[in-house]
Every structure is written in structure tokens, then in C-alpha cells.
Amino acid sequence: MPKRIFSGAQPTGNLHIGNYLGALRNWVALQHEYESFFCVVNLHAITVPQDPSALAAKTREVARIYLAAGIDPKVSTVFVQSDVSEHAELAWILNCVVRVSELERMTQYKDKAKKQRENVLAGLLTYPALMAADILLYQTDLVPVGHDQKQHLELTRDLASRFNRDFGETFRMPEAFIPKVGAKIQALDDPAKKMSKSDENVHGSITLVDDADTVRRKVKRAVTDSGTEVRFDASRPAITNLLTIYQLLTGKTSVEIEEHFAGKGYAQLKSELAEVTVEFLRPFQARMNAIGDEELRSTLAEGAEKARSIARETMRAVKERMGIVGA
Ligand code: AMP
Ligand code: TRP
């Protein structure tokens, strides 16, 4: 069997430069080496309340972002999670394999639940079972994600090996692919927190749909550290974060970058970072807008069909092993 990749992003909020640098960028780079599946995970999105028409629009926007980032639908399978009903079906089964105690230990759940108190939906707790289903349905080898998904990947592996042990070898064991640089881009307004789509403060992140003036304003307002030297330095997390974004967008080495900024101050770094980001986003957004509605629809329909044929096979094996049979 060919080596496979699966990954996805939720169609909520606005995808930002952290999503691109931590995840999408690697999907694009890896798609030629692996058989790849990139999914817009709209069923994950509804684990917190969503406005239906906004969700539908975001789902298509995220698919456009995948394509604009360089995912080639001739090479990779791009689809929407809800178009392949096996995701929800396997998620139910894995909900009967995972323990509540394991779900309650997930830091993403704890963080998100804290913000909603008594209104936490059951789906928010069982979210990792759906994510495990996404991955295991395709007999995935590698899952390129940002650092925040590491714990979910470990749980996915636990569920796969538990299922294989209890019901017989069924799932391939997936591994996380977390990049050495860029797996955790921090918020511009607070280098102690990650850049996040659900942040209420819009100045924390540069979104992939921000216009040039917005990018310049946000970079200008970004917090900095004390000191003046522009260097990668763990004790100066704000500057190191800006430098990391600069490094990934320019493809220069850290040594080259430090030499370039030697004797220049934070203001110079910010102004160059803003321009590099604007120059990255300009063609990106042009590509997004150039994708016609019909082209998008047919790409997603084809993707769903391809995904479905594989998902169906896995589901058949799962049901057989578990003794789930009907008429
Ligand atoms: P999400 O926005 O939660 O749907 O995440 C989509 C992908 O982006 C996942 O692989 C995340 O791990 C990754 N990601 C999210 N936030 C960041 C960040 N601040 N830095 C790097 N990667 C991120
Ligand atoms: N939980 C992931 C996130 O928020 C999104 C996701 C859902 C995912 N299913 C997946 C990522 C499967 C990788 C593989 O970022």
C-alpha cells in the first residue's frame, strides 16, 4: 500500500499565518511523496455553536485556502468531512473504544471547556474520537500538524492499538509530523499564547485573508521584548516569534537573518516582516479568488468520491471485526 498522509483544519474563524506555517505549508511539501488526503473538518467545527450560513461559507473558503496554498487536486484528495459519512460512523465506534477519563485529560478540551462552563457540548469532549476516525479511516501513516495536536495524535495511536489488540489487526499506526520550526507560532499581542483562530483580539493573528494595510498595522502593533538586538533568543520570545515567521516566509537561515539585522532595531524587523508577509499574501489571495465556484464544487465532489471508496473499505473491516451485522 502507498504511504498515506491525512490532515485537516476546522472551518471556523479565520485561518492565520500560524495555520499555514505550522501545517498547510508542510502538506504542500509532502503531497508528492505520499498519497495525501486533506479534509475540511466541518463536523469538528460544530463542537462549539456555529452560525449555519457562516459555517457553509467558511467550509468553502477553507477549501479555497488549501488550493491557494498549493495543494494540487490532481495529486491530493481534497474533500469536506461531512461528505463522507464514514467519518461520523467510525467516530461513534471509537466513542465506544475511548474512555471518558482519556477524553477528560485532553488539554484542548480543558481549555475550551473552561471558556464555556455549563454549556459544554458532549461533542467537544468526544472530538478526539472523531479526529481519530478521520485519520484511521484512511490507514494513514503520517499526520502533519502543529504542536497543539500532539496529544490528540497520541490518543489516536492508543485507540488504534487498543482496537487492533481487542478485535484483530485493522488500523495502521499513524505518526505525527510536527515541524522543527513553525509548529507553534505565538500570538502577536502576547508571545506567551499561541496564535489562535478563536482569539477575540484580532491583533493577535495575521489571517490569510488580511489586506496589506491590516497586515502592516498588526505587525506594527506586535509586542516586543526589552533589549534592542534582533536575534533568535529564547529569553526574548516576542522577537523570536517575529523572526520565526520571517525565517519561514523568506526561506533564509537564522544565521543569514541575524547578519542581515545586525545593528538594525526592532522597527526595521517589523517593517521588513510586514512587507514580506504582504508579498506572500498578495499572490496567495489572488489564487484564492481565481478559483471558480464550479471548479471548487467539482474538486470537492471528486475528492469526496475518492475518499469514500477508501473509507468504505476500512469501515467494512471494522464492522466485521466487531460483529456489527444487520439484515
Ligand atoms: P485548526 O486551526 O485548529 O483547525 O488547526 C489547523 C492546523 O494548524 C493544525 O495542524 C494545527 O496544529 C495548526 N496550528 C494551529 N495554530 C497554530 C499555531 N499557532 N502555530 C502553528 N500551527 C498551528
Ligand atoms: N483537530 C485538528 C485541529 O484543530 C483538526 C483535525 C481534525 C485534524 N481531524 C484531523 C488534523 C485529522 C489532523 C488529522 O487542528
Side-chain angles (χ1 to χ4, degrees), residues 8-10 16 18-19 22-23 145-146 148-149 182-185 194-195 197:
Q10 300 185 62
H16 49 65
N19 294 122
V145 282
D148 60 353
Q149 297 304 312
K184 206 169 173 208
I185 300 296
K194 69 166 185 174
M195 191 177 279
K197 289 190 301 200

Short mmCIF file of all heavy atoms in Angstrom, two decimals, residues 8-10 16 18-19 22-23 145-146 148-149 182-185 194-195 197, ligand 1:
data_model
loop_
_atom_site.label_atom_id
_atom_site.label_comp_id
_atom_site.label_asym_id
_atom_site.label_seq_id
_atom_site.Cartn_x
_atom_site.Cartn_y
_atom_site.Cartn_z
N GLY A 8 -6.18 18.00 8.39
CA GLY A 8 -7.35 18.84 8.20
C GLY A 8 -7.30 20.08 9.06
O GLY A 8 -6.49 20.19 9.98
N ALA A 9 -8.16 21.03 8.71
CA ALA A 9 -8.32 22.23 9.53
C ALA A 9 -9.82 22.50 9.66
O ALA A 9 -10.61 22.15 8.77
CB ALA A 9 -7.61 23.42 8.90
N GLN A 10 -10.18 23.13 10.77
CA GLN A 10 -11.59 23.42 11.03
C GLN A 10 -12.01 24.71 10.32
O GLN A 10 -11.30 25.71 10.40
CB GLN A 10 -11.81 23.61 12.52
CG GLN A 10 -11.45 22.41 13.34
CD GLN A 10 -11.81 22.63 14.79
OE1 GLN A 10 -12.97 22.83 15.12
NE2 GLN A 10 -10.82 22.62 15.66
N HIS A 16 -4.98 31.50 9.85
CA HIS A 16 -3.94 32.52 10.01
C HIS A 16 -2.59 31.97 9.54
O HIS A 16 -2.46 30.79 9.17
CB HIS A 16 -3.89 33.00 11.45
CG HIS A 16 -3.85 31.89 12.47
ND1 HIS A 16 -2.79 31.02 12.58
CD2 HIS A 16 -4.76 31.48 13.38
CE1 HIS A 16 -3.03 30.15 13.54
NE2 HIS A 16 -4.23 30.39 14.04
N GLY A 18 -0.14 31.20 11.24
CA GLY A 18 0.30 30.06 12.06
C GLY A 18 -0.21 28.74 11.49
O GLY A 18 0.53 27.75 11.43
N ASN A 19 -1.47 28.72 11.05
CA ASN A 19 -2.00 27.52 10.40
C ASN A 19 -1.19 27.18 9.16
O ASN A 19 -0.91 26.02 8.87
CB ASN A 19 -3.47 27.71 9.98
CG ASN A 19 -4.42 27.89 11.15
OD1 ASN A 19 -5.11 28.89 11.23
ND2 ASN A 19 -4.45 26.95 12.06
N GLY A 22 2.59 26.28 10.32
CA GLY A 22 2.67 25.07 11.15
C GLY A 22 2.15 23.83 10.45
O GLY A 22 2.59 22.72 10.74
N ALA A 23 1.18 24.01 9.53
CA ALA A 23 0.54 22.84 8.95
C ALA A 23 0.52 22.88 7.42
O ALA A 23 1.24 22.12 6.76
CB ALA A 23 -0.88 22.71 9.51
N VAL A 145 0.84 18.16 11.40
CA VAL A 145 0.04 19.09 12.23
C VAL A 145 0.97 20.01 13.01
O VAL A 145 2.17 19.75 13.10
CB VAL A 145 -0.85 18.33 13.26
CG1 VAL A 145 -2.09 17.74 12.61
CG2 VAL A 145 -0.06 17.27 14.00
N GLY A 146 0.39 21.02 13.61
CA GLY A 146 1.12 21.88 14.54
C GLY A 146 1.23 21.20 15.89
O GLY A 146 0.62 20.16 16.15
N ASP A 148 0.06 21.81 18.76
CA ASP A 148 -1.12 21.69 19.62
C ASP A 148 -1.91 20.38 19.40
O ASP A 148 -2.76 20.04 20.21
CB ASP A 148 -2.04 22.91 19.46
CG ASP A 148 -2.53 23.09 18.03
OD1 ASP A 148 -2.08 22.37 17.13
OD2 ASP A 148 -3.39 23.98 17.82
N GLN A 149 -1.62 19.67 18.32
CA GLN A 149 -2.37 18.42 18.04
C GLN A 149 -1.63 17.16 18.48
O GLN A 149 -2.11 16.04 18.27
CB GLN A 149 -2.70 18.34 16.55
CG GLN A 149 -3.59 19.46 16.06
CD GLN A 149 -4.89 19.52 16.85
OE1 GLN A 149 -5.55 18.51 17.06
NE2 GLN A 149 -5.23 20.71 17.34
N GLY A 182 8.22 26.39 13.42
CA GLY A 182 6.90 26.84 12.97
C GLY A 182 5.73 26.07 13.53
O GLY A 182 4.58 26.40 13.26
N ALA A 183 6.00 25.05 14.34
CA ALA A 183 4.89 24.22 14.86
C ALA A 183 4.06 24.98 15.89
O ALA A 183 2.97 24.56 16.25
CB ALA A 183 5.44 22.94 15.48
N LYS A 184 4.63 26.09 16.38
CA LYS A 184 3.92 26.84 17.40
C LYS A 184 4.21 28.32 17.19
O LYS A 184 5.09 28.88 17.82
CB LYS A 184 4.40 26.37 18.78
CG LYS A 184 3.38 26.57 19.84
CD LYS A 184 3.79 25.86 21.12
CE LYS A 184 2.84 26.21 22.22
NZ LYS A 184 3.48 26.14 23.55
N ILE A 185 3.46 28.94 16.30
CA ILE A 185 3.57 30.38 16.10
C ILE A 185 2.75 31.05 17.21
O ILE A 185 1.61 30.66 17.46
CB ILE A 185 3.03 30.77 14.70
CG1 ILE A 185 3.84 30.07 13.58
CG2 ILE A 185 3.02 32.29 14.51
CD1 ILE A 185 5.30 30.46 13.48
N LYS A 194 -0.49 30.87 21.98
CA LYS A 194 -0.34 30.56 20.56
C LYS A 194 -1.28 31.45 19.73
O LYS A 194 -2.32 31.88 20.22
CB LYS A 194 -0.60 29.07 20.29
CG LYS A 194 -2.02 28.66 20.47
CD LYS A 194 -2.32 27.28 19.88
CE LYS A 194 -3.81 27.01 20.02
NZ LYS A 194 -4.30 25.81 19.40
N MET A 195 -0.88 31.70 18.51
CA MET A 195 -1.75 32.40 17.57
C MET A 195 -2.96 31.50 17.37
O MET A 195 -2.81 30.31 17.09
CB MET A 195 -1.00 32.62 16.26
CG MET A 195 -1.70 33.56 15.32
SD MET A 195 -0.74 33.88 13.81
CE MET A 195 0.42 35.12 14.35
N LYS A 197 -7.25 30.95 16.11
CA LYS A 197 -8.40 31.44 15.35
C LYS A 197 -9.51 31.94 16.25
O LYS A 197 -10.34 32.72 15.84
CB LYS A 197 -8.96 30.30 14.49
CG LYS A 197 -8.07 29.93 13.34
CD LYS A 197 -8.75 28.99 12.38
CE LYS A 197 -9.16 27.72 13.08
NZ LYS A 197 -9.39 26.63 12.12
P1 AMP B 1 -7.07 24.48 13.48
O1 AMP B 1 -6.96 25.94 13.33
O2 AMP B 1 -7.20 24.14 14.93
O3 AMP B 1 -8.08 23.83 12.63
O4 AMP B 1 -5.66 23.93 13.05
C1 AMP B 1 -5.25 23.59 11.76
C2 AMP B 1 -3.78 23.23 11.79
O5 AMP B 1 -2.98 24.36 12.12
C3 AMP B 1 -3.43 22.17 12.84
O6 AMP B 1 -2.48 21.27 12.31
C4 AMP B 1 -2.83 22.96 13.97
O7 AMP B 1 -1.92 22.22 14.75
C5 AMP B 1 -2.10 24.07 13.22
N1 AMP B 1 -1.97 25.28 14.04
C6 AMP B 1 -2.97 25.95 14.67
N2 AMP B 1 -2.50 27.02 15.34
C7 AMP B 1 -1.15 27.04 15.11
C8 AMP B 1 -0.09 27.92 15.54
N3 AMP B 1 -0.32 28.98 16.30
N4 AMP B 1 1.17 27.62 15.12
C9 AMP B 1 1.42 26.55 14.35
N5 AMP B 1 0.46 25.69 13.92
C10 AMP B 1 -0.81 25.92 14.29
#
